[in-house]
Amino acid sequence: MHPVEFIREKRDGRAHAPEEIRAWIEAIAQDRVPDYQVAAWLMAVYFRGMTREETFALTEAMAHSGEVLDLSALGPTVDKHSSGGVGDKTSLVVAPILAAAGAVVAKMSGRGLAHTGGTIDKLESIPGFRTELGKEAFFRQAREVGLVIAAQSADLAPADGKLYALRDVTATVESEPLIASSIMSKKLAAGAQAIALDVKVGKGAFLKTLEDARSLAGLMVEIGERAGRRVAAVLSQMDEPLGRAVGNAIEVQEAIAALRGEGPEDLTELALALAEEGLALVGLPPDRAREALESGAALEKFRAFVAAQGGDPRVVDEPERLALAPGVVEVRAWEDGVVAELDALKVGLAVLRLGGGREKKGEPIDHGVGVYLEKKIGDRVKKGEVLARVYHRERGLAEAKALVAEAYRIGEAAAPPPLILERVRAR
Ligand code: URA
């Protein structure tokens, strides 16, 4: 079909046939459609939406636009994906729990973008850690350690790379079929048999309402199941950051503390919930998640994983080897009261201003900067008490400090918001 006809079809609210979608995605992957026509189509999808059938066809076409990994020889493989949050170091805790509990985690992860963090950036704060792995090394480590996390290969779902870059600059990110196909095409191409999704909801998340998150999660579960994968989703709160550490090295420190059984409650609760879902999906007993954590087996799995990827395993016992930036300033309470709000978006932006994230793809980042939240929602504070510590190297400090202060609202009473809002499983 001619691109103009294809765009007109969606502009006028008609549904595309699956074979048309396949041809369109193939043409995009081969750079045969100019960006202005792809952008016009994305805007038409944004306004007109897609039927479930169209979304399934789109996801499959995007998943097959590049290499599709076959992990079937590795045993019960589980992947985990977060829709993006602040302080979200969950993968670093979930993956070793799953591997210690008998699943195989052979995972590709992304870098942070805008105010949200990415697993690969966090792992690169471990001295020596390699995230660019060849296919052979990736499979070998999966077989030998049961846990490998590599940077997302450009060969996986390349059509998504192109569509996502255009969506980012044409205000067409916030579309359910486009988000679902973007996330699920990468997960299908990455090959795991089971996928545990963490869909974040709230101020620091991409989706602001529970209804939107529920609907997206249901769609993603259905897409995965139709493609022959087992998928479950946990909807979790992202109004305030997860845990207390936000940054890169500082988040790895907190993830290690969680693996030692000394982490913040919310992080541990979410990691266990996702690990339980993942184990259930591959027919392993969900109770093994807690056993793997409490016995220390998950911590030992993390140590083996770090060493296998060239990282310094001494970080596990000596977290100070994960160097934080030397400058520390404190944000103090301006009155007595209770923390009523702690805006995750503002904290995420503060870390971005310090240089801990990137405004544009490919920029280098500072792994040592970050924010440690001494007080979270529901905590009582006295005037002059430390609310948060900002680790910095001068860059962006004034703005970051102001953002952290603005993130807090001190009121009279508040309870911590519930963390896990819902679980969505296949029917
Ligand atoms: N994450 C993705 O990979 N794609 C989206 O569209 C949104 C979040």
Side-chain angles (χ1 to χ4, degrees):
M1 182 187 269
H2 194 273
V4 177
E5 281 308 310
F6 190 75
I7 297 164
R8 182 177 292 120
E9 186 169 79
K10 189 44 66 187
R11 183 201 70 186
D12 294 346
R14 284 176 282 136
H16 300 307
E19 60 277 12
E20 287 169 4
I21 292 176
R22 276 194 288 277
W24 176 247
I25 292 301
E26 198 182 308
I28 291 171
Q30 293 170 355
D31 280 328
R32 285 190 280 111
V33 192
D35 283 356
Y36 49 83
Q37 286 182 316
V38 181
W41 175 74
L42 288 169
M43 191 56 86
V45 173
Y46 177 89
F47 279 113
R48 292 296 195 168
M50 278 188 151
T51 65
R52 278 178 127 65
E53 291 308 320
E54 285 179 288
T55 310
F56 300 142
L58 177 64
T59 311
E60 284 284 347
M62 284 163 66
H64 287 92
S65 64
E67 193 177 7
V68 177
L69 294 183
D70 180 1
L71 306 184
S72 56
L74 295 175
T77 46
V78 183
D79 200 347
K80 176 259 167 197
H81 184 88
S82 158
S83 62
V86 177
D88 184 13
K89 67 286 291 174
T90 318
S91 287
L92 301 180
V93 185
V94 176
I97 292 178
L98 283 167
V104 175
V105 182
K107 179 172 166 46
M108 302 247 180
S109 288
R111 295 182 185 277
L113 191 62
H115 70 283
T116 65
T119 301
I120 291 299
D121 288 333
K122 292 173 210 205
L123 286 170
E124 285 179 352
S125 56
I126 301 174
F129 197 95
R130 283 191 309 271
T131 56
E132 303 288 338
L133 296 184
K135 217 163 147 184
E136 205 183 306
F138 182 80
F139 276 88
R140 190 181 339 112
Q141 190 177 323
R143 275 193 304 274
E144 290 174 2
V145 184
L147 171 55
V148 53
I149 304 181
Q152 173 100 30
S153 139
D155 302 335
L156 238 52
D160 177 61
K162 297 195 176 164
L163 289 178
Y164 197 89
L166 276 177
R167 287 166 61 209
D168 213 16
V169 293
T170 56
T172 51
V173 171
E174 302 91 338
S175 148
E176 185 177 278
L178 295 179
I179 298 173
S181 56
S182 167
I183 293 177
M184 290 307 292
S185 62
K186 286 178 287 212
K187 294 291 110 181
L188 298 184
Q193 177 189 343
I195 303 152
L197 298 167
D198 180 9
V199 179
K200 304 279 190 198
V201 191
K203 293 193 183 84
F206 209 43
L207 294 157
K208 309 292 180 200
T209 71
L210 184 57
E211 287 73 13
D212 287 352
R214 186 185 289 140
S215 172
L216 175 69
L219 179 58
M220 292 195 292
V221 169
E222 208 179 322
I223 290 172
E225 296 281 327
R226 295 239 330 202
R229 312 296 171 88
R230 306 287 302 143
V231 189
V234 171
L235 307 190
S236 69
Q237 177 276 127
M238 187 32 74
D239 275 333
E240 69 172 344
L242 185 70
R244 295 182 181 274
V246 185
N248 290 286
I250 199 169
E251 288 197 34
V252 180
Q253 289 183 350
E254 189 167 69
I256 293 171
L259 288 166
R260 293 187 164 285
E262 296 157 5
E265 251 173 60
D266 57 351
L267 172 60
T268 304
E269 182 188 346
L270 181 60
L272 284 174
L274 285 159
E276 284 162 9
E277 292 294 336
L279 292 174
L281 289 172
V282 290
L284 290 169
D287 296 354
R288 281 203 200 163
R290 189 173 287 281
E291 284 162 28
L293 183 64
E294 290 178 354
S295 66
L299 182 71
E300 290 318 308
K301 189 58 82 176
F302 183 80
R303 191 194 303 275
F305 150 73
V306 168
Q309 284 186 232
D312 183 352
R314 290 176 298 176
V315 298
V316 172
D317 304 308
E318 299 162 43
E320 62 283 1
R321 287 183 182 275
L322 292 154
L324 301 188
V328 188
V329 298
E330 285 153 350
V331 175
R332 291 176 183 273
W334 47 92
E335 61 188 0
D336 289 359
V338 173
V339 176
E341 267 179 45
L342 173 49
D343 186 329
L345 175 60
K346 293 206 165 109
V347 178
L349 287 173
V351 174
L352 186 61
R353 301 289 179 263
L354 294 168
R358 49 181 79 74
E359 316 259 0
K360 285 194 214 112
K361 263 193 171 144
E363 278 179 347
I365 61 164
D366 185 337
H367 294 93
V369 298
V371 175
Y372 191 84
L373 305 162
E374 290 290 345
K375 301 287 179 188
K376 292 191 66 184
I377 297 177
D379 286 344
R380 187 156 286 288
V381 295
K382 288 218 163 304
K383 184 176 173 180
E385 226 183 328
V386 174
L387 293 173
R389 293 179 212 281
V390 178
Y391 291 84
H392 68 92
R393 257 181 269 266
E394 299 302 331
R395 175 179 161 189
L397 177 60
E399 207 187 336
K401 195 175 170 201
L403 277 162
V404 173
E406 274 170 37
Y408 280 94
R409 190 169 68 75
I410 299 175
E412 293 193 348
L419 175 66
I420 294 181
L421 306 169
E422 266 174 44
R423 297 188 190 214
V424 178
R425 298 182 176 130
R427 270 172 286 148

